[in-house]
Amino acid sequence: MIKFYNFYEKEFEQIDGKLITTWLKSVVKNENKSIGKISVIYVDDNYLLDINIKYLKHNYFTDIITFNYNQGLNISGDLYISIDTIKSNAEFYDTNFKNELLRVIVHGVLHLLGYNDCEESEKIVMREREDFYLNRILNDRAEI
């Protein structure tokens, strides 16, 4: 089950939750796991900074923080996503907001699936998987 929560107080272009749910289920299935409970929580920069400081002891802004609650092959967790940072990263990387949001969502799910991005070699694998799954949804759904 995937649920979406919006604590972001400004307007932003949302993507249909059913579309994201179907896509993420296919991502998880492709990785030979199953969906448990995943929460996608949209917040602002300051909200995510507070979480970063409180739980991870990091004093900097980020686009996503993932909390992993997996049980065996059942993938569960919370994905806290800063809409402010998604907007600025979309501009910086010269992509559109929805593509950047999808990339960050799948990035969080990849963490739940066991992928890491601490080492340079891990970052390369993570980016390849992001691109693979992002291309799947973008090629299937031109209207995103």
Side-chain angles (χ1 to χ4, degrees):
M1 168 190 320
I2 300 174
K3 291 198 172 197
F4 298 86
Y5 301 92
N6 185 9
F7 297 130
Y8 189 72
E9 296 181 357
K10 300 174 195 164
E11 291 286 321
F12 70 98
E13 285 183 87
Q14 293 196 40
I15 303 170
D16 179 50
K18 288 181 183 179
L19 175 65
I20 295 173
T21 297
T22 301
W23 175 53
L24 293 180
K25 284 180 179 180
S26 74
V27 168
V28 171
K29 184 178 180 180
N30 194 64
E31 297 284 334
N32 299 312
K33 306 271 173 83
S34 61
I35 291 274
K37 294 180 182 178
I38 296 177
S39 296
V40 178
I41 306 149
Y42 301 127
V43 299
D44 64 22
D45 271 347
N46 290 325
Y47 192 107
L48 200 55
L49 177 61
D50 289 344
I51 290 172
N52 211 6
I53 292 168
K54 183 176 181 179
Y55 295 102
L56 303 177
K57 308 297 185 232
H58 299 155
N59 190 6
Y60 55 81
F61 294 104
T62 187
D63 52 3
I64 186 168
I65 295 177
T66 304
F67 292 99
N68 184 328
Y69 310 126
N70 292 346
Q71 294 181 330
L73 298 177
N74 213 18
I75 303 305
S76 297
D78 293 334
L79 310 179
Y80 286 87
I81 298 172
S82 171
I83 297 301
D84 294 326
T85 300
I86 300 300
K87 287 178 179 179
S88 60
N89 283 351
E91 266 186 52
F92 182 80
Y93 293 113
D94 195 29
T95 189
N96 70 53
F97 172 81
K98 288 183 176 183
N99 287 4
E100 186 64 17
L101 179 57
L102 289 169
R103 179 178 298 281
V104 171
I105 290 171
V106 80
H107 180 92
V109 170
L110 288 169
H111 276 304
L112 295 177
L113 288 164
Y115 291 90
N116 293 308
D117 57 1
C118 296
E119 304 291 326
E120 193 57 38
S121 60
E122 294 172 328
K123 288 179 185 179
I124 291 168
V125 171
M126 177 73 87
R127 182 54 65 143
E128 287 172 352
R129 298 314 290 165
E130 288 173 14
D131 288 344
F132 175 77
Y133 289 119
L134 192 58
N135 285 333
R136 278 178 117 178
I137 192 169
L138 295 178
N139 289 336
D140 290 346
R141 298 292 207 166
E143 72 272 7
I144 291 178

